[in-house]
Amino acid sequence: MRHRAMHARVILVLATFLFASQAMAAPKYESFTLKNGLEVIVVPNTRVPAISHTLWFRAGAADDTHGKSGIAHFLEHMMFRGTKTHKAGEFSKTITALGGEHNAFTGRDMAAYYVNIAKEHLPLVMELEADRMQHLAPDEKDFEREKQVILEERRARTDNNPTALIDEQMDAALFLNHPYRLPVIGWAHEIEQITLKDVMDFYHAYYHPGNAILIVAGDITAAELKPLAEKYYGAIPDKLAPARHWTSEPPQRAPRQLAMTHVNAREPLWMRAYIAPSLHEGETAHALPLFVLAQALGGGPTSTLYQSLVVDQKLATDVDADYNGIAYGPGIFSISATPAPGVASDKLETAIDALLTDVLTKPLANEDIRRAKILLKAEVIYALDGLESAARMIGQLRMTGLKTNFLDTWDHRVDAVKAADLLSAAQAVLVDERSVTALLLPKTEAADAKAP
Amino acid sequence: MLRRLSPFVIALAWLILASVAQATEVKAITTPAGITAWTIEEHSVPIVSARIVFKRSGSAYDPAGKEGLSNLVTTLLNEGAGDLDAKAFQQAIEEKAIRLGIYSDEDFIIITLETLSEHAREAFRLLGLALTAPRFNEDAIERMRAATLSQLRQLESSPGYLAARAFRVAAFGNHPYARPTRGTEAGVQAITHDDLMAFAKAHFAKDALVISVVGDIDAKTLPSLLDTTFANLPAAATTKEIADISLPATGTRTAIERALPQSVVAFGVNGVKRKDPDYFPAYVMNYILGGDNLTSRLSEELRGKSGLAYYANSSLDTNTHSEMLSGSFATRADKAADATSQMIEIFSALGKNGATEEDVTLAKHYLMGSFPLQLDSNSALASYLIAMQVYDLGKDYLEKRNDYIRAVTLADVNRVAARLLDPSRLVIATVGPAPAPTTQEKNE
């Protein structure tokens, strides 16, 4: 082993010498597609003798049946509750007994199921995953119990948390008609109404190899994986998933405002959001500039908003800007700020709007743009550390409809963004009449006194 | 579901152990100036991950009346050093995409330094500047003070935070471990520039340093790099260890009243010290009790059978001067009493009746099999190397760790369960609406 390690070191040194100017900026991968449409991406990483196996389904909260928000997420839970041949809980027990880590997550556009485990157990994992992709068979009692678990999850994530409550209201105000208006976990009253049939109908509609992507990262190559993928997934018949006919947003004609006072809030919070193009939808040419803009405008303590509002004007104790651009549907550009003690929220808002007016009319400083780009490019390199992070990034991007090789050109795309691009992206997005502004306020004695 | 697994498959689970040793050769280096760092060289990604930890520097060491001093220091270390004011320092960090994180827990100040290997030199230079020449300018102090006070207020909205706080106060009484790590409003308001300077001088010293560096390091130049970074720190910290503390021998119940749809419960008992011969039996026992989100005893009952909780877990929580087995769960407010009774029942049953052979086998399989997954990144390894130094676990811990787990028997688990899981010692803190009176209370 020592001898081989030395040999590898020599190669690395030579490579560095020959390609000194080229940083390793993107994860290496190979991909192939099975006859039934299952796309398979392999991200080799020999650091640990383990693999990370993730099945991504193009079925998320935005695909929930109308009036039954939360189905996609509910299905995620039920996928652990038994198939025709493996009873409820057996999947988890089997994986943990073999030293595997496993879990799943649901978003607006997708649901993903992952198992990280020693390489030797990959065939068994694939067998179990192929089984639950086809033969899910949970029972009614278990379904009803899992509904209670999901309601507890909703209480923990949202109902118990004033900030999460107003975030949820804000999404609903930002998207009047598009399914992104819905919470991924679902509205409580709609979760209550979901039936096992609803969940199984969703499963039968969407969970097919042609509607899925398998990403395997770790100590494996495409040559090793291909026969296994053929063996365990190749025979699964494909079925066409329903086409996505997401309702779209009508034009927004007036700014929207929400103000929520909550008995458990202890600190005011001001938030602003705008619908924006994403990497997949709308004027996608604005997406990269929006990533750069969010970083430069409010990505950290050197940012324009922070320097002006927190350092110079002392109107806020913190502020940040964010661009959620990795989406199949529309993106969201948002800003949030905590007013400094004694500063009325409308005074803070006026100051922020003044800064945004500047952003719409004057280009940001070249230095700020340059540094923002440095950080964005580095994100992909940092994602190379660890078994699953690069694969996770690839999965998220594929679920938005981008090609796997998108990350290969990330550096170039970021480098190509100019100050003028930020300006036109800002002008396209930061439009007052297309804004939603939300305010969370603690209940104060004064507020109580004012109430009728 | 052990019976479904062939012996062949189980045997394979142990094979991965051999690979752990090769991938993670730990070297303890001592620099010419006498600074020690544990390192692992790994060149597969162009990243260096370091942890720089100062002992006796966490919130438990805040002077009375200045609760929050350690935390405030951590917020200010990137707010100006040497010739660089806050903005210049932060821009220098961003320029090289360096990731500098600084925070305190009860015992330590922990610094995470992640950098692309080509910028490692600059990353360490900026860190060294922050530690040896912090400016603590008044405007930065006021800004970070305001941000911290705001954060303290926001945390008051979090039932999980409130439950953890109430638990720690009940568990530790007047001991400094009862303090909030970010301090109190009064304490944070009282901190001055002189306090901050004195803190740095007293705590940031070479003899309190614990360092790990993992990844694409240049082993030849690392020693001199570390010396340059930390050269100007004083040789000795002027801090003294605080006293050990155990949880009370008799359990307590605390209730914090809040209008919430869901109650949060934090619970715990005294645990075992890191070097206790029963540490690994306790670790396996805790895994059975509440270590896994779906398969543990707590999860199977509270989530899997009764649907009362989305999460119900427990862990061994070790500080330098305390050790506990603690956990938490959350459930709709009207079921909080029920769920708490169930938790106590599960806890007691494991203590009284012990675990089964199958429980222990499955736990060991999981803990051993999943261990390499925890060593998959520079960042994860850098954290491990700190724990290994702080708790004196030995350079070969990563190779030996699974041996320790493998050696645990059912008898060991049951012995330590009986020792620890005494329900009369349970400290329980609940945050939620005041409970409705029980039928019994109503009739009295």
Side-chain angles (χ1 to χ4, degrees):
Chain A
M1 284 330 274
R2 210 180 299 155
H3 183 77
R4 206 200 297 175
M6 261 171 53
H7 182 66
R9 188 93 150 268
V10 168
I11 301 287
L12 187 69
V13 166
L14 279 178
T16 313
F17 177 75
L18 288 170
F19 302 109
S21 58
Q22 221 169 319
M24 173 169 53
K28 305 252 179 300
Y29 63 88
E30 297 172 75
S31 63
F32 55 89
T33 304
L34 302 184
K35 283 202 189 68
N36 59 10
L38 179 67
E39 182 185 331
V40 183
I41 303 172
V42 183
V43 186
N45 176 352
T46 56
R47 185 161 184 171
V48 287
I51 50 91
S52 176
H53 175 289
T54 309
L55 268 167
W56 298 76
F57 291 94
R58 288 186 196 88
D63 300 297
D64 284 342
T65 311
H66 185 71
K68 302 257 184 157
S69 57
I71 289 180
H73 171 256
F74 209 135
L75 174 56
E76 182 216 305
H77 275 243
M78 297 318 292
M79 283 286 276
F80 294 86
R81 305 312 302 169
T83 67
K84 289 184 184 140
T85 49
H86 298 276
K87 62 188 220 285
E90 201 175 305
F91 182 92
S92 295
K93 269 223 167 88
T94 306
I95 298 296
T96 50
L98 294 174
E101 306 276 8
H102 72 298
N103 212 325
F105 50 95
T106 307
R108 287 169 160 157
D109 306 329
M110 43 55 63
Y113 302 82
Y114 69 88
V115 178
N116 298 346
I117 202 163
K119 181 181 178 174
E120 292 78 36
H121 304 307
L122 179 57
L124 180 58
V125 169
M126 294 173 94
E127 183 193 321
L128 292 171
E129 289 289 10
D131 177 49
R132 66 177 180 167
M133 195 198 293
Q134 302 172 80
H135 305 303
L136 194 66
D139 75 45
E140 187 67 52
K141 253 179 93 183
D142 212 29
F143 172 81
E144 287 304 324
R145 188 206 41 77
E146 199 65 29
K147 184 180 284 191
Q148 298 311 310
V149 171
I150 290 171
L151 289 168
E152 291 305 330
E153 184 181 352
R154 215 208 110 88
R155 286 180 191 115
R157 288 186 196 281
T158 309
D159 303 330
N160 252 23
N161 180 345
T163 307
L165 282 169
I166 194 162
D167 268 346
E168 193 177 58
Q169 297 288 307
M170 203 176 178
D171 281 337
L174 186 60
F175 294 102
L176 292 187
N177 205 45
H178 191 285
Y180 279 6
R181 71 186 182 281
L182 302 164
V184 171
I185 199 166
W187 298 116
H189 71 288
E190 292 193 340
I191 295 169
E192 303 259 18
Q193 299 303 314
I194 294 174
T195 64
L196 179 52
K197 181 176 185 303
D198 291 328
V199 172
M200 293 309 290
D201 284 349
F202 190 94
Y203 168 76
H204 288 303
Y206 289 102
Y207 279 33
H208 301 293
N211 199 38
I213 297 179
L214 170 63
I215 305 187
V216 182
D219 190 7
I220 191 133
T221 61
E224 285 178 87
L225 184 67
K226 195 154 188 198
L228 291 173
E230 292 286 358
K231 178 176 177 191
Y232 291 103
Y233 295 114
I236 302 177
D238 191 22
K239 191 178 147 200
L240 210 55
R244 274 176 164 163
H245 293 304
W246 290 351
T247 46
S248 54
E249 276 306 284
Q252 183 178 347
R253 308 231 186 254
R256 298 168 193 156
Q257 275 130 15
L258 301 92
M260 182 175 99
T261 305
H262 196 283
V263 67
N264 289 325
R266 290 284 182 278
E267 187 75 345
L269 180 64
W270 179 95
M271 296 188 289
R272 168 75 59 79
Y274 307 82
I275 294 176
S278 70
L279 281 167
H280 180 255
E281 179 161 314
E283 298 274 358
T284 56
H286 288 313
L288 262 294
L290 287 170
F291 279 113
V292 179
L293 179 64
Q295 179 64 51
L297 189 59
T302 64
S303 68
T304 307
L305 287 176
Y306 187 93
Q307 285 293 315
S308 175
L309 296 169
V310 181
V311 178
D312 296 339
Q313 299 185 69
K314 301 185 181 19
L315 295 175
T317 53
D318 200 5
V319 61
D320 55 67
D322 184 56
Y323 169 57
N324 180 358
I326 301 180
Y328 190 84
I332 304 171
F333 194 96
S334 57
I335 299 165
S336 70
T338 306
V343 173
S345 58
D346 48 8
K347 186 167 186 201
L348 175 61
E349 183 165 327
T350 304
I352 293 176
D353 283 333
L355 288 164
L356 292 180
T357 304
D358 280 348
V359 171
L360 293 171
T361 49
K362 296 190 294 240
L364 292 180
N366 280 333
E367 274 306 294
D368 293 346
I369 296 174
R370 192 181 60 79
R371 275 197 326 278
K373 288 181 179 184
I374 288 170
L375 294 174
L376 284 170
K377 288 192 289 185
E379 279 204 40
V380 174
I381 307 179
Y382 279 116
L384 296 171
D385 190 29
L387 176 62
E388 56 179 16
S389 33
R392 188 68 58 94
M393 214 180 238
I394 291 174
Q396 298 281 17
L397 289 167
R398 281 299 290 125
M399 286 293 111
T400 68
L402 292 173
K403 294 210 186 346
T404 314
N405 63 11
F406 179 81
L407 285 178
D408 295 346
T409 52
W410 179 250
D411 271 17
H412 294 307
R413 290 169 196 259
V414 172
D415 280 336
V417 172
K418 297 180 193 39
D421 300 327
L422 267 70
L423 204 52
S424 54
Q427 287 164 356
V429 171
L430 305 178
V431 178
D432 185 51
E433 66 207 12
R434 287 191 252 125
S435 66
V436 178
T437 307
L439 191 57
L440 171 65
L441 292 166
K443 253 192 169 165
T444 60
E445 286 163 26
D448 288 336
K450 269 202 279 191
Chain B
M1 290 312 153
L2 212 51
R3 64 185 185 281
R4 285 191 48 87
L5 303 173
S6 79
F8 181 60
V9 165
I10 298 169
L12 283 175
W14 307 142
L15 277 183
I16 55 173
L17 306 176
S19 322
V20 170
Q22 283 131 17
T24 55
E25 197 202 330
V26 179
K27 288 205 181 91
I29 67 170
T30 305
T31 69
I35 292 172
T36 309
W38 285 23
T39 69
I40 296 173
E41 254 189 270
E42 164 64 51
H43 299 287
S44 58
V45 289
I47 294 167
V48 173
S49 210
R51 298 284 181 277
I52 297 91
V53 169
F54 286 96
K55 294 195 275 200
R56 303 186 299 281
S57 298
S59 58
Y61 295 86
D62 291 342
K66 310 270 181 174
E67 292 83 359
L69 178 55
S70 172
N71 179 68
L72 197 62
V73 167
T74 66
T75 66
L76 285 162
L77 289 178
N78 73 334
E79 294 282 341
D83 285 341
L84 304 172
D85 68 8
K87 192 160 90 165
F89 186 92
Q90 289 151 8
Q91 285 176 341
I93 289 282
E94 286 184 358
E95 199 60 57
K96 304 290 191 270
I98 295 163
R99 294 181 169 180
L100 176 64
I102 311 168
Y103 69 96
S104 328
D105 67 9
E106 295 84 7
D107 294 318
F108 308 106
I109 280 185
I110 297 128
I111 298 167
T112 62
L113 185 67
E114 315 256 328
T115 175
L116 307 179
S117 35
E118 58 180 316
H119 299 311
R121 188 153 288 278
E122 176 67 354
F124 276 95
R125 182 187 81 86
L126 289 168
L127 173 65
L129 201 59
L131 292 172
T132 57
R135 282 162 71 128
F136 298 132
N137 286 353
E138 286 298 338
D139 60 336
I141 295 173
E142 289 321 309
R143 193 155 35 78
M144 290 298 104
R145 194 197 315 272
T148 302
L149 292 170
S150 174
Q151 190 181 37
L152 286 175
R153 289 189 291 269
Q154 285 175 56
L155 285 167
E156 290 285 315
S157 294
S158 160
Y161 175 79
L162 293 172
R165 287 295 317 128
F167 173 78
R168 285 190 83 85
V169 168
F172 295 122
N174 290 326
H175 188 276
Y177 275 166
R179 284 192 203 132
T181 47
R182 292 177 191 80
T184 62
E185 196 198 337
V188 172
Q189 290 282 24
I191 296 166
T192 65
H193 168 88
D194 287 350
D195 293 327
L196 297 160
M197 283 304 218
F199 183 99
K201 223 166 137 192
H203 293 258
F204 295 157
K206 291 193 184 111
D207 70 349
L209 264 173
V210 185
I211 303 171
S212 67
V213 190
V214 177
D216 191 22
I217 53 184
D218 182 348
K220 280 201 192 64
T221 59
L222 182 62
S224 65
L225 180 59
L226 292 174
D227 275 348
T228 312
T229 303
F230 302 111
N232 294 335
L233 289 180
T238 57
T239 51
K240 296 212 178 1
E241 293 284 352
I242 54 173
D244 286 351
I245 178 94
S246 295
L247 266 63
T250 311
T252 59
R253 303 281 181 274
T254 311
I256 307 277
E257 204 175 312
R258 286 288 188 277
L260 290 164
Q262 184 185 66
S263 298
V264 180
V265 180
F267 62 89
V269 287
N270 213 49
V272 290
K273 289 194 194 307
R274 189 63 188 78
K275 300 287 260 175
D276 191 308
D278 266 347
Y279 180 80
F280 281 100
Y283 196 79
V284 174
M285 185 273 285
N286 173 76
Y287 179 78
I288 295 167
L289 175 65
D292 182 273
N293 204 34
L294 293 174
T295 61
S296 71
R297 289 207 175 181
L298 285 172
S299 293
E300 274 195 346
E301 285 299 319
L302 292 175
R303 175 175 166 149
K305 292 211 178 104
S306 57
L308 281 176
Y310 170 61
Y311 69 89
N313 49 44
S314 67
S315 62
L316 292 190
D317 200 342
T318 309
N319 279 117
T320 309
H321 295 285
S322 74
E323 51 286 330
M324 42 184 187
L325 187 153
S326 61
S328 81
F329 61 91
T331 189
R332 45 190 284 180
D334 60 349
K335 302 279 191 190
D338 264 348
T340 302
S341 304
Q342 282 190 45
M343 178 277 288
I344 294 171
E345 180 49 47
I346 296 157
F347 180 95
S348 312
L350 186 54
K352 229 175 20 191
N353 310 327
T356 66
E357 196 69 67
E358 190 186 356
D359 286 335
V360 174
T361 306
L362 282 173
K364 286 165 64 172
H365 279 187
Y366 171 75
L367 291 171
M368 295 175 67
S370 64
F371 186 57
L373 297 174
Q374 294 182 34
L375 311 177
D376 71 325
S377 66
N378 291 344
S379 188
L381 286 165
S383 290
Y384 253 104
L385 293 188
I386 293 294
M388 285 157 61
Q389 292 175 78
V390 164
Y391 293 106
D392 190 30
L393 303 179
K395 259 181 34 222
D396 54 359
Y397 177 75
L398 297 177
E399 292 147 41
K400 287 224 170 100
R401 186 272 194 179
N402 276 358
D403 295 339
Y404 299 137
I405 298 276
R406 191 186 300 112
V408 172
T409 65
L410 175 62
D412 293 331
V413 168
N414 290 347
R415 177 184 64 252
V416 79
R419 176 180 157 196
L420 298 182
L421 303 183
D422 176 354
S424 74
R425 293 178 183 225
L426 269 171
V427 173
I428 304 178
T430 305
V431 177
T438 62
T439 317
Q440 189 177 12
E441 286 166 15
K442 276 198 273 207
N443 288 343
E444 272 165 6

